[in-house]
Amino acid sequence: MDPTITPEAANHVLFHFGQGGYQAGSFTTHLLAAFATADEQHFFRLSEAFPEYGAAVAAIQYDPKGVTNLKAIATSGEVAA
């Protein structure tokens, strides 16, 4: 099953990568920094604990349409898988 990206996670990830959204609290800000710098093994382990953030970070880093998709999730208020 694909992880669900919530509007909140989408907004936090967009902000972290300078693409809009809004800033997360201090824990989530540090979590996103860890995701952004993690090697593959650690990224996977973080994603097991925080799947919505793992999916959103992977989208913005590796999907050419990731920013567009995350912005759609962030503004729609709907949860996307």
Side-chain angles (χ1 to χ4, degrees):
M1 178 158 107
D2 289 331
T4 299
I5 300 174
T6 64
E8 181 178 50
N11 275 295
H12 292 162
V13 170
L14 287 165
F15 184 88
H16 183 80
F17 287 91
Q19 298 293 325
Y22 54 81
Q23 188 168 16
S26 62
F27 175 82
T28 304
T29 298
H30 290 289
L31 176 65
L32 292 173
F35 266 113
T37 58
D39 59 28
E40 187 176 341
Q41 177 185 4
H42 290 102
F43 190 97
F44 177 75
R45 292 177 75 184
L46 286 168
S47 293
E48 287 181 320
F50 303 96
E52 69 280 13
Y53 285 101
V57 171
I60 205 164
Q61 286 186 320
Y62 305 114
D63 182 352
K65 296 179 183 179
V67 172
T68 301
N69 293 340
L70 288 176
K71 285 183 177 183
I73 294 166
T75 59
S76 73
E78 296 179 13
V79 175

